[in-house]
Amino acid sequence: GNSVTQMEGPVTLSEEAFLTINCTYTATGYPSLFWYVQYPGEGLQLLLKATKADDKGSNKGFEATYRKETTSFHLEKGSVQVSDSAVYFCAPTSYNTDKLIFGTGTRLQVFP
Amino acid sequence: DGGITQSPKYLFRKEGQNVTLSCEQNLNHDAMYWYRQDPGQGLRLIYYSQIVNDFQKGDIAEGYSVSREKKESFPLTVTSAQKNPTAFYLCASSATPSTWASYEQYFGPGTRLTVT
């Protein structure tokens, strides 16, 4: 079945630094791809998504491009803020279903 | 405002007791899901339901039960058969996907269950 691998955290950055969180997946067919964010003690919020190859999802300064050739969906932000500190989850859909497969999450810590 | 509510936010139980976690949505979504999250780990699917009066086991259904009598509600019961019930439980919902699109899941705030 489909699976996902995220880079291990924590990722520690200074404010205004450039962020990349790597995500690669294995998939049968053409999954939709999502990034979710979880702030401490809360549920998950959708950050961005892409539903077909070469699509770029973007929101709140974050971006990720659906790369079919490398089966990747890396999350990037040009200038992080302290308020971006959270856990980020990459999630492709499972083959031919609407179920999501979640990675282990990557914790981001941004210091002033 | 539309959304998903889970109650309570914190729940404490003694070992051997069954406990039911509430999940309600007013988004008019057909599909609902229950996940378990343990510290430092991703989410694991417990049960999901795509339509009223129907539900399927996820990856870790043993020791849990659900019902889906109403579109808006999908309660989860953690039974005494669940060996390690202490965890953070998340409920989610989504619109029914079409053949050509996948709809994102919307999550509730979660319930932290502690069993001693």
Side-chain angles (χ1 to χ4, degrees):
Chain A
N2 293 4
S3 65
V4 59
T5 302
Q6 282 184 241
M7 65 188 290
E8 282 198 29
V11 173
T12 304
L13 295 172
S14 298
E15 209 165 21
E16 299 184 5
F18 184 85
L19 168 71
T20 300
I21 299 178
N22 290 338
C23 170
T24 57
Y25 63 91
T26 60
T28 302
Y30 303 101
S32 292
L33 302 172
F34 300 85
W35 274 102
Y36 281 85
V37 58
Q38 185 179 34
Y39 297 101
E42 297 184 9
L44 276 67
Q45 300 174 27
L46 177 68
L47 184 58
L48 53 84
K49 69 176 183 180
T51 57
K52 61 182 188 298
D54 301 324
D55 265 3
K56 178 186 280 188
S58 60
N59 185 27
K60 300 181 181 178
F62 291 90
E63 293 183 338
T65 301
Y66 190 143
R67 302 282 188 203
K68 188 163 82 74
E69 63 279 6
T70 56
T71 61
S72 64
F73 193 52
H74 304 322
L75 182 68
E76 296 181 335
K77 187 175 185 182
S79 176
V80 294
Q81 305 301 312
V82 172
S83 58
D84 293 327
S85 298
V87 180
Y88 292 81
F89 291 93
C90 181
T93 49
S94 183
Y95 175 63
N96 212 28
T97 77
D98 57 335
K99 291 191 288 181
L100 294 176
I101 302 167
F102 285 91
T104 52
T106 301
R107 181 175 299 279
L108 170 65
Q109 297 173 326
V110 181
F111 293 96
Chain B
D1 282 340
I4 300 178
T5 56
Q6 291 185 244
S7 60
K9 191 168 177 64
Y10 298 96
L11 192 52
F12 298 88
R13 280 294 182 270
K14 295 289 188 187
E15 205 172 300
Q17 293 178 334
N18 290 354
V19 59
T20 297
L21 281 60
S22 166
C23 177
E24 304 277 331
Q25 54 99 358
N26 60 2
L27 299 167
N28 199 33
H29 285 168
D30 289 311
M32 296 186 74
Y33 311 81
W34 273 106
Y35 294 90
R36 170 183 172 135
Q37 186 178 25
D38 294 287
Q41 298 192 28
L43 279 67
R44 292 184 289 169
L45 183 63
I46 303 172
Y47 268 98
Y48 65 103
S49 167
Q50 294 178 309
I51 197 168
V52 173
N53 291 323
D54 188 44
F55 47 83
Q56 289 79 42
K57 292 181 180 180
D59 301 317
I60 55 164
E62 185 174 347
Y64 299 97
S65 65
V66 293
S67 62
R68 187 86 186 277
E69 296 176 1
K70 298 187 298 182
K71 188 175 186 177
E72 303 78 21
S73 178
F74 191 41
L76 173 75
T77 297
V78 185
T79 74
S80 56
Q82 168 50 235
K83 293 189 179 3
N84 296 298
T86 294
F88 189 49
Y89 290 89
L90 287 159
C91 179
S93 71
S94 69
T96 304
S98 68
T99 304
W100 301 105
S102 288
Y103 289 92
E104 57 265 31
Q105 292 183 17
Y106 292 80
F107 283 80
T111 292
R112 188 167 299 280
L113 173 64
T114 301
V115 177
T116 57

